[in-house]
């Protein structure tokens, strides 16, 4: 008989990290889990209609996101995570 192991959250995603000042303008300045950072950034993107309507994988940066994205006007959703990592300690 096989025993199932209890599932546990990925510690790298659930461990609180400190956002930079630029990222804190979007997600808040308190330590937050990486997964919550991504969720809050997506909430900001959707609330401000920042996805390119012709290519939903492309994010058009507002002034706040431009600081996080290294000054770029637009990034792909896959590239976004790389930029977010640069703003988490």
């Amino acid at each position: 008989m096989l025993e199932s192991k209890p599932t546990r959250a990925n510690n790298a995603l659930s461990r609180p990290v400190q956002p930079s000042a630029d990222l804190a303008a979007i997600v808040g300045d308190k330590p937050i889990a990486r997964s919550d950072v991504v969720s809050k950034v997506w909430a900001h993107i959707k609330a401000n209609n920042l996805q390119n309507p012709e290519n939903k994988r492309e994010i058009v940066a507002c002034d706040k996101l431009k600081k996080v994205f290294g000054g770029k006007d637009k990034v792909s959703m896959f590239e976004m995570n790389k930029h977010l990592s640069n703003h988490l300690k």
Side-chain angles (χ1 to χ4, degrees):
M1 186 172 189
L2 295 173
E3 291 183 35
S4 63
K5 293 183 180 180
T7 59
R8 55 183 122 136
N10 184 340
N11 289 335
L13 292 176
S14 61
R15 184 185 50 180
V17 290
Q18 182 64 49
S20 69
D22 291 335
L23 185 56
I26 299 167
V27 301
D29 60 352
K30 304 251 188 288
I32 184 172
R34 283 180 184 269
S35 57
D36 291 336
V37 169
V38 174
S39 294
K40 286 188 177 203
V41 169
W42 270 110
H44 175 80
I45 290 166
K46 290 183 187 255
N48 292 289
N49 198 24
L50 298 175
Q51 279 181 286
N52 180 345
E54 286 133 28
N55 180 1
K56 294 284 190 178
R57 288 182 263 169
E58 189 173 71
I59 300 159
V60 179
C62 64
D63 290 338
K64 289 179 183 179
L65 281 176
K66 200 177 277 194
K67 292 176 185 175
V68 175
F69 295 163
K72 290 187 169 188
D73 290 327
K74 51 187 163 185
V75 298
S76 74
M77 64 173 47
F78 306 108
E79 188 182 355
M80 176 183 81
N81 290 324
K82 178 182 78 172
H83 289 290
L84 292 179
S85 293
N86 294 335
H87 289 270
L88 300 172
K89 299 174 195 161

